[in-house]
Amino acid sequence: MNRTMMFAAAATLALATFFSAPVLAGEPNDMFIIMTSTKSPDDVQAAIKAYTLDKKWIYVNDNKLKNDEVTQVRMCIPSVGKYLWGVGLHISAVVPCGQFGIYKKDGVTTVAMLHPKFMNVLYPDPLTKKAGEEVLPLLTKMLEEVTK
């Protein structure tokens, strides 16, 4: 089975599991970076958007989920394209490289960022690994700034 087919099978299995598995609340694992803020969720979302645009990165979108309890934000840092597009255009299914959930937990604004290593976990390749390594400090710095 070639890598594209393996990726498609893994993605299909992950989606099927996500939509069919019972919902069990648990603690985040090492695939997530969690930070808190004294700002409101809307203010953190606005700060992510401003920071992203100021850096000339790509602000993909934001969406309200779960009856407006969660704001999902997606953005991308174009410089990682030199790695990702080298893998092939099929990798577009795992971009953007910055994915965030912003919500209140016990009255505190919480930001969950999907660790950029997810790209290499889903599609193991030296280029996806390098992309994750390059964006991690950039995204971490952004997260620190927008949650202050």
Side-chain angles (χ1 to χ4, degrees):
M1 183 180 303
N2 69 33
R3 289 177 72 141
T4 302
M5 290 178 62
M6 286 175 44
F7 174 74
T12 301
L13 178 62
L15 286 173
T17 301
F18 176 78
F19 287 111
S20 65
V23 177
L24 301 173
E27 292 302 312
N29 60 23
D30 69 342
M31 291 301 291
F32 298 90
I33 297 170
I34 309 292
M35 295 190 110
T36 59
S37 178
T38 58
K39 296 179 182 177
S40 72
D42 287 341
D43 287 345
V44 171
Q45 177 269 320
I48 290 173
K49 185 172 188 176
Y51 190 100
T52 300
L53 297 175
D54 184 58
K55 294 288 187 182
K56 308 260 188 286
W57 296 342
I58 300 169
Y59 189 85
V60 178
N61 65 359
D62 54 76
N63 300 292
K64 296 285 188 178
L65 308 172
K66 198 174 184 283
N67 299 315
D68 292 342
E69 289 180 44
V70 178
T71 301
Q72 176 192 53
V73 176
R74 297 165 33 117
M75 51 75 63
C76 202
I77 300 172
S79 65
V80 301
K82 66 185 169 226
Y83 305 114
L84 295 176
W85 302 129
V87 175
L89 295 181
H90 61 281
I91 204 68
S92 62
V94 300
V95 296
C97 50
Q99 300 191 49
F100 307 86
I102 308 165
Y103 52 92
K104 287 272 194 181
K105 181 177 180 182
D106 301 324
V108 176
T109 298
T110 303
V111 183
M113 180 177 80
L114 185 58
H115 196 295
K117 69 182 176 184
F118 85 92
M119 294 180 283
N120 193 58
V121 170
L122 289 175
Y123 195 84
D125 185 277
L127 293 173
T128 56
K129 183 173 192 240
K130 182 69 176 158
E133 291 169 349
E134 182 172 307
V135 299
L136 178 60
L138 300 173
L139 291 174
T140 302
K141 182 177 181 190
M142 179 183 73
L143 199 53
E144 290 168 353
E145 289 292 320
V146 303
T147 56
K148 286 196 233 187

